[in-house]
Amino acid sequence: MDWHFDNSYVRDLPGTYVAQAPARVPAPKLLILNEDLARELRLDPVALRESAAEVLSGNRPPPGAEPVAQAYAGHQFGGFSPQLGDGRALLLGELIDRHGQRRDIALKGSGPTPFSRRGDGLAAIGPVLREYLMGEAMAALRVPTSRALAAVATGRQVLRDRAVPGAVLTRVAASHLRIGTFEFFAARGQSDQVRALADYAIARHHPQAAGAENRYLALFDAVIAVQARLVAQWMGLGFIHGVMNTDNMTISGETIDYGPCAFMEGYSPGTVFSSIDHQGRYAYGNQPLILGWNLARLAETLVPLFDTSEARAIELANERLAGIAGCYRAEWLAVMRAKLGLAEAAEGDAALVEEFLAALTGTDWTLGFRRLARAEGPDSLRGLWAEPEALARWWPGWLARRAPDAAARMETANPIYIPRNQRVEEALAAAEAGQMAPFLRLLEVLADPYVERPGLEAWALPAPQEFAGQFRTFCGT
Ligand code: AMP
Ligand code: MG
């Protein structure tokens, strides 16, 4: 089977990775193959299905692949780790897809690398399928994201809090360049590598920056723009990434690393699911602040490229950093206007949104917005709403502002189906026990999240309080 690899990262950025072959696995079995994505990548789905277990387990890497572990550092929960890197992942190479876009093909859970530290380099089936599902759901929700091409069970047990079946995920991303990739080389004083990475990032992700008077500043502006838009989209969906460390924030503006992420049900800005996020650093409402904090870490790596005068370079960086909050706010307001069916921007929109959010407190985020679209009046939402009086007070102001075709607009902006925590957990538990059917069903429901379909009521509902109150997520794949 022809894979048409073209590996620009390995070719253009020597010194930023270590060659590493995947580990052999005893009994690979294909769990799921994403045929639509295969076609998008110009791969033959039929031939791929035949070879996937061997090829995408890492047992027989595809022709033209040059497996490498990429170096990166990162600020984790605010503290700097100078050496992280691919400890359980390998970049196989890149394919040019149907749209002419260059996409990374990577394995996750493919064995130890020089960056594994104390980890085993492996991944368990539950978290692999969780990442598969979340990425596909986010793509259907029109959020820039890494995707999943396949999941292969390895036939090998991995040791977590107990022995669980191992698996390998094939991840597809615009690239795996992270803020942490820049930090790795900046922290070592390897300024030539930082420049090479910046040039590579411009060529691959932000080519409009190449023609700018100050290309590196233009690169930084472009990363601010894509990341601000991304976080605004997360906020619109009630998505909590859960581990917004700088090694998990991409230069392309795609969501990557679906570890402890989850969708909020009852709205509360302090919502945290991750079992290790004790301080709530990555709580729902903190994500916009962390966006800016992370971008400041990127700025620190790029400052020497902004200007030959250090003082001037810092001044330029600070100007940009001061603009992030406003840039994010504009993206967020655009998202929220669409969600509330406001056709044009007007003075007072921000206040209208803020007041709505206050009135939404305690109500299911997704259903709150969705059911607003066709509600006759605030009274018709009493059964759903936690604070019906607040909603009733807000209503007249919204009526006066919303577009004539607000209902239809809002249904294209507010999904009815999201990966509900309880549904996800049930599907993963079944898959771990060898039953893929609930997972496949959930995936199918989430592939079309904006169109309400009869018979799928159970997928639209939040979990009962007994489940929601104790739901926690975990990091390790
Ligand atoms: P993550 O939490 O997935 O963003 O990973 C943070 C860092 O820990 C990365 O450098 C990973 O490669 C590494 N890591 C996480 N789990 C493992 C594992 N099981 N084996 C080796 N490295 C790991
Ligand atoms: Mg990571």
Side-chain angles (χ1 to χ4, degrees):
M1 178 189 157
D2 183 19
W3 275 77
H4 64 88
F5 274 107
D6 178 66
N7 305 330
S8 69
Y9 191 88
V10 166
R11 191 164 61 229
D12 297 349
L13 294 168
T16 64
Y17 55 83
V18 183
Q20 172 69 54
R24 284 202 65 84
V25 314
K29 181 171 163 275
L30 181 64
L31 293 169
I32 182 166
L33 177 69
N34 191 338
E35 294 197 356
D36 287 342
L37 184 58
R39 277 183 219 101
E40 199 175 311
L41 294 168
R42 299 192 292 130
L43 298 174
D44 173 7
V46 177
L48 184 57
R49 185 170 286 283
E50 277 165 25
S51 59
E54 278 295 313
V55 169
L56 298 179
S57 62
N59 269 1
R60 183 160 47 82
E66 296 170 87
V68 298
Q70 293 177 297
Y72 56 86
H75 278 83
Q76 300 181 301
F77 290 91
F80 187 56
S81 302
Q83 188 179 308
L84 294 169
D86 286 333
R88 55 176 162 180
L90 293 171
L91 173 65
L92 294 180
E94 302 142 31
L95 302 180
I96 310 296
D97 73 11
R98 253 191 195 164
H99 316 289
Q101 296 298 312
R102 181 177 291 275
R103 313 275 288 268
D104 274 9
I105 311 295
L107 299 182
K108 192 165 175 181
S110 48
T113 77
F115 300 112
S116 294
R117 293 168 293 158
R118 283 179 302 281
D120 57 10
L122 304 176
I125 185 174
V128 160
L129 289 177
R130 193 165 202 282
E131 176 152 359
Y132 190 114
L133 182 91
M134 288 294 182
E136 293 310 293
M138 291 287 266
L141 291 164
R142 305 187 293 253
V143 181
T145 178
S146 67
R147 302 284 303 272
L149 180 61
V152 178
T154 59
R156 177 176 173 180
Q157 297 285 106
V158 303
L159 211 56
R160 293 297 178 258
D161 51 342
R162 65 206 149 91
V164 285
V168 176
L169 177 76
T170 305
R171 178 156 86 177
V172 177
S175 86
H176 288 80
L177 284 177
R178 313 139 192 269
I179 291 179
T181 316
F182 288 79
E183 289 181 287
F184 182 93
F185 297 99
R188 294 163 171 239
Q190 291 179 256
S191 50
D192 289 352
Q193 287 290 26
V194 176
R195 184 185 295 269
L197 281 167
D199 287 333
Y200 181 87
I202 290 170
R204 184 161 174 181
H205 299 301
H206 304 292
Q208 75 281 11
E213 198 182 322
N214 187 333
R215 63 201 315 254
Y216 301 112
L217 204 55
L219 168 65
F220 187 48
D221 285 337
V223 178
I224 292 173
V226 291
Q227 288 197 2
R229 183 164 306 154
L230 179 69
V231 174
Q233 285 188 275
W234 291 355
M235 296 302 281
L237 290 166
F239 175 79
I240 304 168
H241 183 280
V243 60
M244 285 177 74
N245 294 334
T246 55
D247 52 305
N248 292 336
M249 297 302 290
T250 58
I251 301 303
S252 69
E254 279 187 350
T255 314
I256 55 160
D257 262 28
Y258 294 97
C261 69
F263 284 76
M264 176 170 64
E265 296 199 324
Y267 170 53
S268 164
T271 305
V272 173
F273 292 112
S274 170
S275 57
I276 60 167
D277 190 0
H278 306 295
Q279 315 282 329
R281 179 181 172 89
Y282 300 136
Y284 172 76
N286 250 4
Q287 296 184 121
L289 280 177
I290 295 295
L291 161 80
W293 194 92
N294 287 340
L295 287 166
R297 306 289 79 74
L298 177 62
E300 285 162 3
T301 73
L302 297 176
V303 154
L305 300 174
F306 288 164
D307 202 278
T308 47
S309 147
E310 191 185 352
R312 178 65 187 141
I314 291 172
E315 193 183 352
L316 287 167
N318 282 333
E319 270 171 33
R320 265 37 189 207
L321 292 173
I324 292 172
C327 173
Y328 166 76
R329 187 87 180 158
E331 295 290 352
W332 175 81
L333 207 49
V335 166
M336 289 298 166
R337 270 194 200 103
K339 287 180 78 71
L340 289 178
L342 310 181
E344 302 104 36
E347 189 99 19
D349 282 352
L352 190 70
V353 174
E354 303 281 8
E355 282 157 29
F356 177 71
L357 294 185
L360 187 66
T361 303
T363 300
D364 185 75
W365 177 270
T366 304
L367 283 182
F369 277 100
R370 178 76 184 197
R371 295 298 179 226
L372 192 64
R374 294 199 185 274
E376 304 275 304
D379 278 347
S380 67
L381 295 175
R382 271 192 178 268
L384 174 66
W385 229 262
E387 304 278 356
E389 312 305 327
L391 180 67
R393 282 194 300 277
W394 173 81
W395 198 274
W398 177 56
L399 263 192
R401 271 287 287 121
R402 72 178 185 190
D405 57 346
R409 282 171 178 275
M410 289 170 72
E411 284 183 344
T412 63
N414 295 298
I416 178 73
Y417 308 114
I418 53 152
R420 295 272 177 190
N421 299 319
Q422 192 178 21
R423 295 275 160 250
V424 174
E425 294 310 299
E426 285 166 2
L428 298 182
E432 205 178 291
Q435 297 304 320
M436 285 295 284
F439 180 85
L440 298 175
R441 178 77 173 129
L442 181 56
L443 202 58
E444 185 187 307
V445 170
L446 297 174
D448 195 6
Y450 295 96
V451 180
E452 192 160 4
R453 285 154 282 166
L456 299 186
E457 292 74 19
W459 281 268
L461 293 177
Q465 188 49 38
E466 308 87 80
F467 177 91
Q470 50 75 46
F471 179 65
R472 293 284 169 279
T473 58
F474 303 91
C475 265
T477 308

